[in-house]
Amino acid sequence: MDDSGIRSTVSVALPTGGLLPVDTTEDVRTRAAGVSTQVAVLPVGSFEQHGPFLPLTTDTLVACAIAREIAAAYPVHLLPPVTIACSHEHANWPGTVSISSVTLHAVVRDIADSLRRSGVDALVVVNGHGGNYVLGNVVQESSARGERMALFPAAEDWETARERAGVVTSLLTDMHAGEIETSVLLHAHPELLRPGYETADFVADDRRHLLTLGMAGYTDSGVIGRPSLGSAEKGKALLASFAESFGAYFSMLTDDGSEAATEAVSGAAGSEASVSGAGDQK
């Protein structure tokens, strides 16, 4: 399958302005016919405070933006997001809602089991919230059972995206509601930002007691990072970099030595080239 074939097939699966995919069952069947191993992409976010200027759904919006970028470049089955996860460190702020790590673990595993029963053998969890530590355990345990699962983006993918997008703040400093998240929303959902991010910078690099004290032990505003440095251009480049980095994950999960898998990966590589070019336009 060539690159144009992948894109024409996937285009009908992308959300139309919202967070939810608009696939029909026929769309899924058509896409499955062109690949040897079906890969589903599950965005996982959170519902937690992001200071006075970003919405509670920020992590979900970021995860969905990354997942949509992936679905535009690769023949994947895009799933609706998990919107409430493990945000216990933000409990001091109104609006934050959490579920237990045990519940999140069970939800993701149940989704993976359901997908396999319908013929989708591989699942990529796109995580938008750093506090969802348990997702790493889900992937480790699933892989040990011989199931195909991956967690994306890895720390290295975040660092590559930060560098390519010209994000000034380090990943250590850009912890919450900072330059990266503000940039992604300025690009993907600018209408959702409230005034104030331009003057909300706050740095707290030493957070060794975060698990004990929560975010309230380090910030009054809920912000740790430099949102004033955010821009739509950086947000676009960040997402382009993630789409390119995803190529290695797609190849790994679909590599079964078959001709169909090789063709699908070759098409994805063509998509990567176009994505890389877009990322250079800052």
Side-chain angles (χ1 to χ4, degrees):
M1 179 185 295
D2 61 19
D3 182 42
S4 60
I6 289 178
R7 290 185 180 277
S8 62
T9 300
V10 175
S11 62
V12 296
L14 299 181
T16 54
L19 296 180
L20 301 179
V22 293
D23 269 342
T24 67
T25 188
E26 289 304 316
D27 296 329
V28 178
R29 181 178 286 114
T30 299
R31 188 185 310 109
V35 295
S36 59
T37 301
Q38 293 186 69
V39 178
V41 173
L42 175 67
V44 179
S46 71
F47 196 76
E48 65 186 35
Q49 72 83 20
H50 276 76
F53 54 88
L54 292 180
L56 296 164
T57 55
T58 291
D59 289 340
T60 300
L61 293 168
V62 170
C64 285
I66 295 171
R68 286 198 302 270
E69 200 80 8
I70 289 170
Y74 303 90
V76 298
H77 180 29
L78 182 60
L79 300 174
V82 176
T83 58
I84 297 178
C86 302
S87 301
H88 311 285
E89 69 273 27
H90 299 277
N92 287 68
W93 280 269
T96 297
V97 180
S98 291
I99 58 176
S100 72
S101 60
V102 173
T103 299
L104 182 57
H105 188 295
V107 167
V108 175
R109 181 166 179 185
D110 282 355
I111 290 172
D113 289 344
S114 177
L115 287 165
R116 282 192 298 276
R117 286 194 294 272
S118 66
V120 182
D121 291 325
L123 175 64
V124 178
V125 179
V126 175
N127 182 32
H129 172 48
N132 291 335
Y133 310 116
V134 70
L135 294 178
N137 298 118
V138 177
V139 172
Q140 284 180 323
E141 294 166 14
S142 297
S143 299
R145 290 192 297 268
E147 301 161 4
R148 297 193 183 196
M149 189 181 294
L151 184 61
F152 183 80
E156 293 83 357
D157 302 315
W158 282 104
E159 182 60 26
T160 297
R162 185 190 73 81
E163 293 176 355
R164 292 187 179 181
V167 171
V168 177
T169 318
S170 69
L171 294 180
L172 172 65
T173 299
D174 195 60
M175 187 259 188
H176 191 70
E179 186 177 358
I180 288 177
E181 290 183 322
T182 300
S183 293
V184 172
L185 262 67
L186 282 170
H187 168 64
H189 298 282
E191 73 282 0
L192 299 182
L193 272 78
R194 308 290 179 87
Y197 71 88
E198 304 90 344
T199 58
D201 293 5
F202 182 78
V203 174
D205 283 352
D206 186 346
R207 303 183 297 270
R208 70 188 71 188
H209 304 300
L210 178 66
L211 296 179
T212 302
L213 300 177
M215 286 284 289
Y218 295 94
T219 173
D220 293 329
S221 67
V223 176
I224 297 181
R226 297 191 176 96
S228 69
L229 300 177
S231 72
E233 293 75 18
K234 292 177 182 177
K236 180 179 180 180
L238 284 162
L239 294 177
S241 179
F242 288 133
E244 182 175 351
S245 294
F246 184 78
Y249 294 77
F250 186 81
S251 298
M252 174 182 63
L253 292 171
T254 59
D255 183 14
D256 61 1
S258 70
E259 182 179 351
T262 301
E263 291 179 354
V265 172
S266 297
S271 298
E272 286 182 56
S274 63
V275 166
S276 178
D280 292 336
Q281 298 172 5
K282 298 183 177 65

